[in-house]
Amino acid sequence: MAQLPEFVINARDEANTAADAHHDAWDELQAIAEPSYEDIEKWIAVREKFYFAQERFEKLLWQALGR
């Protein structure tokens, strides 16, 4: 099997980092008995970064696979 291009590996690493941040932010939000709007907005911002990084990785992966 051929190696994935470096740009795909980098995108995967960024998506993994964003996934970890999303998980951590969710745990932090769950630990707050009564989260404020600011707490929720912070989590949503982290979640959006994760979704963006995941979508970017998948797009680049398909591109590298020639599809």
Side-chain angles (χ1 to χ4, degrees):
M1 181 174 169
Q3 286 281 50
L4 290 173
E6 189 69 25
F7 68 90
V8 175
I9 293 170
N10 290 340
R12 181 191 62 197
D13 292 344
E14 290 172 13
N16 286 339
T17 299
D20 291 344
H22 177 250
H23 182 269
D24 292 346
W26 177 250
D27 287 346
E28 289 174 18
L29 185 63
Q30 293 300 302
I32 301 170
E34 294 184 32
S36 66
Y37 285 119
E38 291 81 16
D39 296 325
I40 295 169
E41 287 174 347
K42 177 184 172 187
W43 172 74
I44 289 172
V46 173
R47 183 192 68 174
E48 290 298 315
K49 288 180 184 179
F50 164 60
Y51 286 167
F52 176 80
Q54 179 183 17
E55 183 176 340
R56 181 174 178 268
F57 164 64
E58 291 172 4
K59 180 185 266 185
L60 292 174
L61 179 60
W62 281 116
Q63 179 183 343
L65 294 173
R67 298 184 183 176

